[in-house]
């Protein structure tokens, strides 16, 4: 997914703001990491651009957006694409010491190992497939943000350990929310979206045909734009 292309898809109807999360792109870490600081970042952006707005998050970013709404930020509507909750039995859950091991390899100066752990244990890719990526040109980019993989682990908290009840906390999100999954994504991601939508008091579930976790910007932008526009017209 291209953030620039997604922005162009939505920019004719909305003011679109994209930003690099902590430790990524042009954003610094800002000291000791905490999920609360990332939520404050979203709050600062909302305040700067009018005091309230919509929020779109993809993968772990969708979970961060949910946590921001749960924290009471002035979010008028949410769009969440494939939050990577592991709440079904069709794949292995993420081990309980996942974040601690990520922290350990980063502290040892091996951010690439953190990416490897994330891809095999959180994403669920075969180890041999990930090993084949190491010599590819894009691997250096992954290593540059390897220290932030544990940030995503903290955002996910215990929602990747195979327990559907770990999603009960999101019943406290009352913001209108579009929950999306890809029609060609693995079943566990579709189940995660369904389980989340069932817990939201104002949740709408939709499947984007032919899409995977690497969602096409045009398909995502069309669905999100239509949903946010519907919220504007019903106010």
């Amino acid at each position: 997914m291209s953030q620039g292309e997604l922005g162009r898809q939505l920019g004719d109807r909305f003011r679109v703001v994209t930003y690099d999360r902590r430790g990524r792109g042009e954003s610094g870490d800002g000291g000791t990491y905490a999920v609360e600081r990332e939520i404050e970042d979203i709050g600062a952006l909302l305040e700067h651009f009018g005091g309230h707005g919509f929020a779109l998050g993809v993968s772990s970013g969708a979970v961060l957006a949910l946590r921001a709404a749960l924290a009471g930020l002035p979010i008028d509507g949410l769009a969440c694409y494939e939050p990577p909750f592991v709440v079904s039995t069709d794949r292995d859950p993420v081990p309980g010491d996942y974040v601690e091991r990520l922290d350990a390899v980063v502290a040892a100066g091996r951010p690439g190992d953190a990416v490897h752990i994330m891809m095999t244990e959180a994403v669920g890719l075969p180890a041999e497939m990930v090993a084949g990526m190491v010599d590819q040109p894009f691997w250096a980019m992954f290593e540059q943000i390897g220290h932030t993989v544990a940030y995503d682990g903290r955002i996910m908290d215990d929602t990747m350990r195979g327990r559907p009840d770990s999603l009960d906390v999101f019943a406290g999100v009352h913001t209108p929310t579009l929950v999306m999954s890809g029609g060609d994504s693995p079943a566990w991601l579709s189940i995660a979206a369904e389980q989340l939508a069932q817990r939201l008091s104002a949740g709408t579930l939709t499947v984007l045909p032919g899409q995977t976790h690497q969602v096409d910007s045009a398909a995502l932008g069309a669905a999100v734009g239509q949903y946010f526009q519907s919220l504007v017209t019903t106010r």
Side-chain angles (χ1 to χ4, degrees), residues 44 52-53 62 94 96 108 110 115 128 131 135 139 141 178 185 192 199 220:
H52 63 96
V94 173
R110 305 198 311 272
V115 177
E128 58 271 18
D135 295 327
W139 189 258
M141 179 185 68
L178 177 66
S185 287
R199 286 163 170 78
L220 182 62

Side-chain angles (χ1 to χ4, degrees), residues 24 59-60 84 86 91-107 111-125 145-161 188:
R24 299 177 181 178
S59 195
S60 61
V86 180
R91 60 149 289 175
D92 292 334
V94 173
D97 63 348
Y98 173 71
V99 170
E100 288 76 10
R101 287 187 293 113
L102 292 175
D103 286 341
V105 295
V106 169
D113 287 359
V115 177
H116 190 281
I117 292 170
M118 178 270 290
M119 286 189 168
T120 54
E121 297 185 14
V123 179
L125 296 178
I145 62 170
H147 66 289
T148 70
V149 171
Y151 301 172
D152 289 328
R154 287 177 167 83
I155 289 167
M156 299 306 299
D157 197 22
D158 62 352
T159 62
M160 301 187 79
R161 297 179 188 170
W188 67 272

Side-chain angles (χ1 to χ4, degrees), residues 30-178:
T32 303
Y33 181 82
V35 177
E36 291 77 11
R37 303 293 81 76
E38 289 231 58
I39 293 173
E40 289 170 1
D41 294 343
I42 297 173
L45 287 169
L46 289 170
E47 182 177 0
H48 184 77
F49 290 100
H52 63 96
F54 299 124
L56 163 64
V58 175
S59 195
S60 61
V63 185
L64 177 60
L66 287 164
R67 296 200 184 281
L70 194 62
L73 292 192
I75 297 173
D76 300 324
L78 284 172
C80 299
Y81 186 78
E82 293 197 338
F85 304 128
V86 180
V87 292
S88 59
T89 59
D90 61 337
R91 60 149 289 175
D92 292 334
V94 173
D97 63 348
Y98 173 71
V99 170
E100 288 76 10
R101 287 187 293 113
L102 292 175
D103 286 341
V105 295
V106 169
R110 305 198 311 272
D113 287 359
V115 177
H116 190 281
I117 292 170
M118 178 270 290
M119 286 189 168
T120 54
E121 297 185 14
V123 179
L125 296 178
E128 58 271 18
M129 179 183 294
V130 179
M133 298 178 183
V134 174
D135 295 327
Q136 298 300 314
F138 58 74
W139 189 258
M141 179 185 68
F142 287 164
E143 286 191 323
Q144 288 176 1
I145 62 170
H147 66 289
T148 70
V149 171
Y151 301 172
D152 289 328
R154 287 177 167 83
I155 289 167
M156 299 306 299
D157 197 22
D158 62 352
T159 62
M160 301 187 79
R161 297 179 188 170
R163 296 189 299 102
D165 65 342
S166 66
L167 304 189
D168 290 350
V169 63
F170 298 113
V173 175
H174 302 297
T175 305
T177 303
L178 177 66

Side-chain angles (χ1 to χ4, degrees), residues 82 181-183 185-195 205 207:
E82 293 197 338
S181 64
S185 287
W188 67 272
L189 284 167
S190 299
I191 293 169
E194 293 168 3
Q195 290 282 326
L205 178 67
V207 177

Side-chain angles (χ1 to χ4, degrees), residues 1-21:
M1 182 191 74
S2 165
Q3 287 190 351
E5 178 58 31
L6 182 61
R8 286 188 286 275
Q9 287 282 327
L10 297 172
D12 60 340
R13 286 175 284 180
F14 306 98
R15 171 188 279 180
V16 179
V17 178
T18 62
Y19 74 103
D20 294 322
R21 283 176 46 197

